[in-house]
Amino acid sequence: MRKSLWVSGLALAATAVLSSTGTASAAGTSMSTDSIFNVGTDIQAGTYTTTTALSTCAWARLSALTPSATAVLQTGGAVNGSASVTIQSTDIAFFTTGCGTWNLQVSTGSSSLGSGSASGLLSGLLSGTGSSS
C-alpha cells in the first residue's frame, strides 16, 4: 500500500513536470533541481553522476517533450544514494526527481547504475500503473 501511494505521488509529480512549459535553469555541466533539462540548451550530453540521491530518485532520458511513455528512452533510479547515466547528444531532454545534484564527469563511459528500459519506472508512472517488487 505504501509503495502504491509513493508511486502515485511520483506519477503526479512526473506528470506536472512533463506538462510544464518552462525550462529548467542549470549550468551546462550540472543539474541540482527536480525538472526536465533540454539537452544542448540546459545541459551538455555526457555521463552524469550523483551521490546525493534520495530513496525516491527517478530519472529518464527522453526523445521528446511530451507526457507520453513512447518518449522514454531509458529510466533509472538510485542505488545506495548514487546513480549514473549517459545522456546522448541525440536525446531531447533529461527528467530527474529526488536525485540530488548531477555532475558531468570528465570520462564518458557507457555504463549506468539502476538503469532500465522504456518499460521502467517512469514509463509505468506515465501510464498510471506501477510495478511492485
Side-chain angles (χ1 to χ4, degrees), residues 77-106:
V79 177
N80 296 322
S82 64
S84 178
V85 61
T86 299
I87 299 170
Q88 305 295 322
S89 60
T90 54
D91 295 354
I92 299 299
F94 180 73
F95 166 79
T96 179
T97 184
C99 295
T101 300
W102 292 92
N103 292 301
L104 181 64
Q105 301 303 298
V106 175

Side-chain angles (χ1 to χ4, degrees), residues 23-131:
T23 58
S25 61
T29 59
S30 69
M31 299 170 277
S32 61
T33 60
D34 294 351
S35 193
I36 294 178
F37 296 86
N38 295 311
V39 177
T41 303
D42 299 324
I43 58 168
Q44 299 174 18
T47 300
Y48 287 81
T49 60
T50 179
T51 57
T52 58
L54 302 174
S55 61
T56 57
C57 167
W59 58 262
R61 293 175 42 235
L62 304 172
S63 65
L65 290 173
T66 176
S68 169
T70 60
V72 178
L73 297 170
Q74 181 183 20
T75 63
V79 177
N80 296 322
S82 64
S84 178
V85 61
T86 299
I87 299 170
Q88 305 295 322
S89 60
T90 54
D91 295 354
I92 299 299
F94 180 73
F95 166 79
T96 179
T97 184
C99 295
T101 300
W102 292 92
N103 292 301
L104 181 64
Q105 301 303 298
V106 175
S107 172
T108 57
S110 62
S111 66
S112 59
L113 295 174
S115 64
S117 67
S119 63
L121 176 65
L122 188 59
S123 178
L125 295 175
L126 292 172
S127 67
T129 63
S131 62

